[in-house]
């Protein structure tokens, strides 16, 4: 039983007010707000300049969180006129201030939106401060007053299963989200919670993200895969189809995307998925969705992501291969953080990056995206005004400017998490023997940080709590989980190294793939651990008197 209101708790005056696209943006708009649970009815009063005042009654539900009991309201304004500015106020007897918004121009093919990501703030713990994000967004919107809406890459809050965190998030949205549609995607922090929030113990991830879903069920289109609506939804704006993808149940999300795109005739398909496929962290991974959702991702022109608090833009990617032209694959665009949440020093450019910026300074970043018919211009800008990346994707010319050519290697390279081992493997390239790709696996494991013991005719490798021992001339390998058969025997290759079929990486729970166009082998693992070879401590010395 909640006996007293928390800091930033609900009152009888509407707060948490924001607008969003829930249907045709030419003729509709959703208004969301919150009050104390004592208020059980509400409506939006809206009008054009010098026009008739109209009333739209809101749907309402009780939202009982870990610290408060509130009423949530969703009003769906309809029969609006395209390209028209409207004024509105929301509430019941106690009203909000007057705000305004503008509907989409009719048959628009030219518009602008802003992408932000990972704006979460966990401090102070009991009253998170989102003022840097708020100031940054107001600055961007003042510089871009024609912004049609704001799209997030997820992690809108730090611990989304606790209302104290959402109260902080909405404090950061105040003053602009009431007038510019705020379209959220779900990040892992948005469905994170703690059994003991005060002490930060008992961490869990809610599936589905109940706090997110219950607060925004009437804010966004309810057209996602069954059971995952609100977390996944789709909407049109101008000549673009947008799909916001939940990070939960990837198989269902994949099927939903593919079916949705079959029914859309929009020129552009843009998506948001919080976890990046073309990541930049040295220890990150893409198993959360890849390869199970690969087919869905490949149906997009651009896939926006967040999670790493870092910026990068990929070459067009399809079926593990990297290309130059936008028609050949999907551009994966990883948004930098938008609330001074630097990624730290674990980021680096990878083989799949056409553009990369190590976002390690405490400066917010966002992407300004301008759609103009068959062209999309993306500009990632920091709060100090410096541009981290600028590019134009042109469908008609089938080119990306500035031009960047995806690598095509003369000799087959082996990469781990997109990184090239460099000098250690420079003249011991991978090769195909008897139709099987093989390489100096011991060198690769050493580069990653594993332990490698070489004895005459034999090599023992240990990493990620698993071991593999291979023997020259044998196709039987010994692992910590038993013997495995390799497709061909191990053999001595360049510089006397034992060449091992890449299928052997399965012993470490890794996967591998060959990219024919680019001529490299990519090895991946789900683990985000940072292996470091064990250094035995020095022997303890005692001084005898």
């Amino acid at each position: 039983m909640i006996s007293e209101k928390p800091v930033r708790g609900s009152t009888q005056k509407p707060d948490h007010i924001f607008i969003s696209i829930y249907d045709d943006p030419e003729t509709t708009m959703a208004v969301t707000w919150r009050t104390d649970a004592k208020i059980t009815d509400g409506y939006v009063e809206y009008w054009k300049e010098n026009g008739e005042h109209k009333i739209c009654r809101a749907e309402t539900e009780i939202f009982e969180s870990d610290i408060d009991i509130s009423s949530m309201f969703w009003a769906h304004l309809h029969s609006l006129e395209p390209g028209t500015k409207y004024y509105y106020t929301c509430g019941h007897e106690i009203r909000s201030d007057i705000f305004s918004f503008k509907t989409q121009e009719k048959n628009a093919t030219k518009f602008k939106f802003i992408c932000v990501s990972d704006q979460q703030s966990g401090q102070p713990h009991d009253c998170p401060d989102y003022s840097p994000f708020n100031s940054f967004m107001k600055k961007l919107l003042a510089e871009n007053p024609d912004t049609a809406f704001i799209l997030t890459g997820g992690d809108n809050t730090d611990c989304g299963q606790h209302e104290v965190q959402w109260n902080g998030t909405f404090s950061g949205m105040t003053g602009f989200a009431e007038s510019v549609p705020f379209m959220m995607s779900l990040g892992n922090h948005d469905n994170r919670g703690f059994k003991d929030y005060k002490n930060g113990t008992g961490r869990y991830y809610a599936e589905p993200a109940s706090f997110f879903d219950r607060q925004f069920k009437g804010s966004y289109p309810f057209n996602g895969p069954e059971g995952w609506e609100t977390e996944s939804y789709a909407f049109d704006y101008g000549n673009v189809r947008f799909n916001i993808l939940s990070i939960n149940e990837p198989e269902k999300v994949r099927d939903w995307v593919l079916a949705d795109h079959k029914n859309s005739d929009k020129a552009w398909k843009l998506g948001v998925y919080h976890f990046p496929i073309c990541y930049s962290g040295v220890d990150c991974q893409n198993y959360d969705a890849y390869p199970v959702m690969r087919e869905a991702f490949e149906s997009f022109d651009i896939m926006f992501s967040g999670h790493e608090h870092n910026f990068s833009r990929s070459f067009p990617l399809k079926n593990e291969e990297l290309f130059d032209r936008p028609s050949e694959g999907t551009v994966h665009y990883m948004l930098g953080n938008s609330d001074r949440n630097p990624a730290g020093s674990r980021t680096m450019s990878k083989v799949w990056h056409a553009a990369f910026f190590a976002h390690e300074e405490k400066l917010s970043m966002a992407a300004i995206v301008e759609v103009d018919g068959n062209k999309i211009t993306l500009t990632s800008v920091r709060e100090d005004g410096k541009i981290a990346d600028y590019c134009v994707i042109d469908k008609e010319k089938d080119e990306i400017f500035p031009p960047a050519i995806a690598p095509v290697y003369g000799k087959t390279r082996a990469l781990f998490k997109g990184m090239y081992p460099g000098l250690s493997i420079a003249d011991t390239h991978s090769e195909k023997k008897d139709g099987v790709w093989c390489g100096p696996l011991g060198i690769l494991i050493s580069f990653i940080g594993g332990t490698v013991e070489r004895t005459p005719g034999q090599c023992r490798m240990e990493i990620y709590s698993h071991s593999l021992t291979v023997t020259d001339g044998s196709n039987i390998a010994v692992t910590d989980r038993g013997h495995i058969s390799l497709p061909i025997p191990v053999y001595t290759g360049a510089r006397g190294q034992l060449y091992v079929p890449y299928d052997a990486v399965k012993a470490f729970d890794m996967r591998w793939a060959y990219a024919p166009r680019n001529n490299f082998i990519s090895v991946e693992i789900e683990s985000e651990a940072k292996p470091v070879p064990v250094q035995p401590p020095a022997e303890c010395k005692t001084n005898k008197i």
Side-chain angles (χ1 to χ4, degrees):
M1 187 73 176
I2 297 166
S3 58
E4 61 181 66
K5 286 290 180 180
V7 175
R8 293 174 173 168
S10 59
T11 68
Q12 294 187 33
K13 184 176 176 62
D15 67 358
H16 290 194
I17 303 166
F18 76 101
I19 61 171
S20 55
I21 298 165
Y22 82 97
D23 201 346
D24 184 350
E26 290 184 3
T27 59
T28 67
M29 188 68 72
V31 182
T32 301
W33 71 95
R34 176 191 76 161
T35 70
D36 187 281
K38 294 175 184 177
I39 306 298
T40 58
D41 192 19
Y43 63 91
V44 168
E45 182 178 356
Y46 63 103
W47 63 96
K48 296 186 298 182
E49 188 79 45
N50 300 319
E52 176 190 357
H53 285 229
K54 297 182 179 180
I55 298 295
C56 178
R57 305 214 73 83
E59 300 172 15
T60 183
E61 281 190 14
I62 293 295
F63 173 49
E64 184 169 355
S65 74
D66 53 334
I67 59 171
D68 204 352
I69 302 176
S70 309
S71 290
M72 294 298 306
F73 296 89
W74 306 283
H76 296 150
L77 314 187
H78 56 85
S79 302
L80 305 177
E81 296 179 14
T84 302
K85 185 174 183 178
Y86 284 86
Y87 299 88
Y88 76 93
T89 176
C90 63
H92 189 52
E93 293 175 355
I94 301 174
R95 309 296 296 167
S96 72
D97 293 338
I98 296 174
F99 305 107
S100 66
F101 64 84
K102 187 180 178 182
T103 53
Q104 179 200 302
E105 298 286 346
K106 191 169 182 62
N107 300 322
T109 58
K110 186 174 183 178
F111 63 94
K112 177 190 294 183
F113 63 96
I114 294 177
C115 277
V116 299
S117 190
D118 297 274
Q119 65 271 24
Q120 78 262 34
S121 176
Q123 299 299 324
H125 188 67
D126 294 324
C127 193
D129 179 20
Y130 280 75
S131 58
F133 174 69
N134 188 267
S135 298
F136 179 46
M137 291 309 301
K138 287 176 178 175
K139 176 178 180 289
L140 280 182
L141 291 166
E143 295 168 348
N144 299 273
D146 54 341
T147 298
F149 58 89
I150 297 164
L151 183 64
T152 84
D155 283 1
N156 308 276
T157 191
D158 196 54
C159 295
Q161 289 296 108
H162 301 286
E163 194 177 5
V164 65
Q165 294 281 336
W166 283 110
N167 290 340
T169 294
F170 278 102
S171 74
M173 293 164 55
T174 301
F176 63 85
E178 302 93 337
S179 297
V180 181
F182 200 83
M183 311 300 291
M184 285 185 264
S185 65
L186 183 73
N188 58 302
H189 279 258
D190 296 320
N191 68 342
R192 188 175 80 166
F194 291 93
K195 292 180 180 177
D196 180 354
Y197 175 74
K198 183 178 180 180
N199 296 301
T201 58
R203 184 171 71 177
Y204 68 92
Y205 290 92
E207 296 184 19
S210 58
F211 274 40
F212 185 96
D213 294 347
R214 286 157 59 196
Q215 290 180 92
F216 310 128
K217 63 177 292 185
S219 306
Y220 301 124
F222 204 73
N223 58 6
E226 185 178 358
W228 301 98
E229 299 92 347
T230 305
E231 296 181 23
S232 286
Y233 61 92
F235 67 96
D236 293 330
Y237 200 99
N239 57 343
V240 181
R241 182 65 167 176
F242 290 87
N243 291 82
I244 312 304
L245 279 57
S246 171
I247 57 175
N248 299 314
E249 197 153 359
E251 292 86 355
K252 265 195 173 183
V253 174
R254 173 199 60 207
D255 294 345
W256 167 69
V257 168
L258 293 173
D260 185 77
H261 282 183
K262 280 184 180 179
N263 295 322
S264 175
D265 60 356
K266 296 298 182 182
W268 293 91
K269 307 291 193 301
L270 306 187
V272 184
Y273 184 76
H274 181 64
F275 296 129
I277 300 305
C278 296
Y279 56 87
S280 65
V282 294
D283 57 338
C284 291
Q285 51 87 18
N286 56 24
Y287 270 68
D288 300 281
Y290 210 67
V292 65
M293 287 177 65
R294 185 171 67 191
E295 188 181 359
F297 289 143
E298 291 175 354
S299 67
F300 288 99
D301 297 293
I302 304 172
M303 176 60 63
F304 295 102
S305 63
H307 189 57
E308 290 192 49
H309 299 214
N310 196 53
F311 171 81
S312 65
R313 170 169 53 85
S314 79
F315 294 102
L317 171 69
K318 186 174 184 178
N319 194 28
E320 310 280 359
E321 297 178 290
L322 306 174
F323 297 91
D324 311 321
R325 299 186 179 279
S327 64
E328 297 175 303
T330 301
V331 173
H332 292 263
Y333 199 93
M334 188 163 68
L335 303 157
N337 75 83
S338 300
D339 194 18
R340 299 179 183 172
N341 295 314
S345 58
R346 64 190 181 120
T347 59
M348 66 182 297
S349 182
K350 303 293 185 73
V351 67
W352 43 67
H353 291 150
F356 169 80
F357 170 68
H359 192 175
E360 297 183 14
E361 296 173 85
K362 259 194 144 177
L363 293 168
S364 299
M365 179 189 291
I368 313 298
V369 185
E370 300 175 76
V371 179
D372 187 359
N374 287 321
K375 290 195 299 186
I376 288 183
T377 301
L378 303 105
T379 306
S380 276
V381 60
R382 304 194 314 183
E383 64 179 282
D384 62 359
K386 293 183 179 179
I387 294 174
D389 182 59
Y390 169 86
C391 80
V392 180
I393 301 176
D394 192 322
K395 272 183 176 285
E396 188 174 348
K397 294 182 179 179
D398 197 19
E399 65 181 22
I400 300 174
F401 179 86
I405 301 174
V408 176
Y409 298 114
K411 293 186 176 180
T412 309
R413 302 195 183 194
L415 310 171
F416 180 73
K417 290 182 179 283
M419 298 177 286
Y420 180 54
L423 286 174
S424 64
I425 206 168
D427 54 0
T428 52
H429 297 285
S430 301
E431 60 187 29
K432 204 170 191 180
K433 183 174 182 180
D434 299 332
V436 176
W437 281 106
C438 304
L441 194 56
I443 294 180
L444 187 65
I445 297 302
S446 295
F447 164 75
I448 298 168
T451 300
V452 178
E453 298 174 6
R454 293 178 173 84
T455 55
Q458 200 168 73
C459 182
R460 183 183 185 277
M461 296 157 271
E462 185 172 346
I463 195 168
Y464 294 114
S465 302
H466 295 296
S467 65
L468 170 72
T469 301
V470 297
T471 303
D472 194 5
S474 174
N475 72 329
I476 302 299
V478 180
T479 79
D480 58 294
R481 291 176 283 192
H483 292 64
I484 60 172
S485 296
L486 303 175
I488 64 170
V490 174
Y491 62 94
T492 300
R495 300 189 68 179
Q497 296 296 306
L498 292 186
Y499 271 51
V500 184
Y502 277 105
D503 278 357
V505 301
K506 295 175 184 176
F508 306 115
D509 295 328
M510 297 175 179
R511 71 171 190 262
W512 71 279
Y514 174 64
R517 181 182 186 274
N518 312 98
N519 195 25
F520 66 76
I521 287 170
S522 179
V523 180
E524 293 280 342
I525 189 169
E526 184 174 8
S527 173
E528 295 189 4
K530 306 177 184 67
V532 176
V534 176
Q535 172 62 50
E539 293 183 10
C540 182
K541 296 181 180 180
T542 59
N543 294 321
K544 295 182 179 180
I545 299 176

